[in-house]
Amino acid sequence: MINKNSPIPIYHQLEEYIKQLIDSGQLVPGDILPSEREYSDKYGISRMTIRQAIINLVNERYLYRVKGKGTFVMEKKFEQDLQGLTSFTEDMKARGMKASSKLIKFKIIPAHLKLAKSLDIQEHDPVYEIVRIRLAEEIPMALERTYISANLVQGLTEEIVQNSLYKYIEDTLHMKIASGTQIIEAAIANEQEVKYLDISDQSPIMLMERSSKLDDQTIFEVVKSSYRADRYKFMIDLKRF
């Protein structure tokens, strides 16, 4: 594994070896790595060299350290492409993962002024308020608050919103979802997010607010989501105009 005669620095060889173990599944998230002494005894290399490799992998988010306990394999983050308008269920299905939801709230409320403006409806018009925990393989990923005009999208039930809402809108109501606008910002988790996302106090999260439209440009939903920053990252391709 370590070739001391190679022009490639030994610390880099060790980094690549550990990455290979992680990528192949021989090391999985939460596994603890051998100590610097164990690596040194096994491969006959200095602890300073080992420390450099470990520091680099921590900086690259492959590993994380817990003081007094050791170095662990970090959970992989899910990458979401911001250029397409897809549901959480569709995202997880594309990754070959099982998506599910835990419904926290489902009721019809009168739209307050700010919400009415966001949905382009009249103040006090009926709006579905849907609060769900979004899970992938039973792991909480996001706390999602969805607001939908009850006059526009009719017939919603608790059973429907615990599955794919987009599928119901397109396949059952025959409405075409066309576009959306998203705003993303960083924040610190509040008490509700800590509770439902199973994260620690003061954990970083990513807040995303999306306004989605049908093909006739009618706004049909406003979604406010809190994503776990330790499990999610967003990606977008940029082009110079």
Side-chain angles (χ1 to χ4, degrees):
M1 188 278 296
I2 299 294
N3 182 358
K4 295 182 179 179
N5 295 319
S6 171
I8 300 173
I10 293 176
Y11 74 84
H12 185 70
Q13 292 183 51
L14 182 57
E15 284 178 46
E16 292 303 310
Y17 174 65
I18 295 173
K19 285 181 182 178
Q20 185 180 39
L21 293 178
I22 294 172
D23 292 339
S24 66
Q26 295 178 68
L27 284 174
V28 299
D31 279 355
I32 186 170
L33 262 66
S35 67
E36 291 178 4
R37 176 175 292 179
E38 290 173 303
Y39 273 126
S40 180
D41 291 344
K42 184 174 182 178
Y43 299 114
I45 54 181
S46 72
R47 294 177 67 173
M48 183 177 294
T49 298
I50 297 163
R51 191 173 299 121
Q52 181 63 58
I54 297 299
I55 289 172
N56 289 347
L57 290 173
V58 168
N59 291 337
E60 291 181 45
R61 307 292 187 183
Y62 277 89
L63 308 173
Y64 68 95
R65 284 175 157 173
V66 178
K67 189 173 182 180
K69 293 186 178 181
T71 304
F72 299 82
V73 179
M74 182 172 281
E75 294 279 357
K76 289 186 177 180
K77 292 189 177 184
F78 295 97
E79 185 175 278
Q80 181 176 343
D81 189 344
L82 292 178
Q83 296 182 101
L85 179 56
T86 56
S87 69
F88 181 86
T89 301
E90 291 166 339
D91 286 339
M92 293 303 107
K93 185 177 181 180
R95 295 182 173 91
M97 302 183 71
K98 180 184 177 182
S100 59
S101 298
K102 182 177 180 181
L103 187 63
I104 304 300
K105 183 188 296 186
F106 176 79
K107 65 179 183 179
I108 294 179
I109 62 172
H112 55 72
L113 182 59
K114 183 177 180 181
L115 181 58
K117 288 183 177 180
S118 297
L119 287 168
D120 195 23
I121 59 178
Q122 297 297 312
E123 187 177 5
H124 306 304
D125 277 359
V127 171
Y128 289 107
E129 180 183 30
I130 306 161
V131 182
R132 297 177 287 181
I133 303 173
R134 308 295 271 173
L135 305 101
E137 303 294 346
E138 303 303 321
I139 299 172
M141 293 291 171
L143 179 62
E144 184 180 271
R145 306 164 187 85
T146 303
Y147 302 91
I148 298 175
S149 169
N151 291 332
L152 178 65
V153 179
Q154 300 180 355
L156 289 185
T157 65
E158 291 190 12
E159 182 179 359
I160 290 170
V161 301
Q162 289 188 81
N163 294 290
S164 178
L165 183 58
Y166 278 20
K167 181 176 177 62
Y168 171 77
I169 290 172
E170 293 192 314
D171 294 353
T172 302
L173 299 184
H174 305 293
M175 296 177 175
K176 176 62 176 177
I177 300 171
S179 62
T181 301
Q182 294 187 140
I183 299 174
I184 299 175
E185 61 181 316
I188 297 298
N190 61 28
E191 185 176 340
Q192 187 181 50
E193 290 156 347
V194 167
K195 175 183 176 181
Y196 289 126
L197 295 179
D198 192 24
I199 54 179
S200 303
D201 289 339
Q202 301 297 305
S203 291
I205 58 171
M206 290 183 287
L207 299 178
M208 182 179 74
E209 181 167 344
R210 182 178 72 238
S211 175
S212 305
K213 297 179 180 179
L214 302 174
D215 56 355
D216 63 359
Q217 297 303 296
T218 300
I219 298 172
F220 78 91
E221 72 167 356
V222 169
V223 183
K224 299 179 180 181
S225 302
S226 305
Y227 283 88
R228 287 178 54 164
D230 64 331
R231 300 306 302 272
Y232 244 87
K233 60 182 177 180
F234 296 94
M235 183 272 291
I236 186 168
D237 288 328
L238 301 175
K239 294 182 180 180
R240 183 174 174 83
F241 292 103

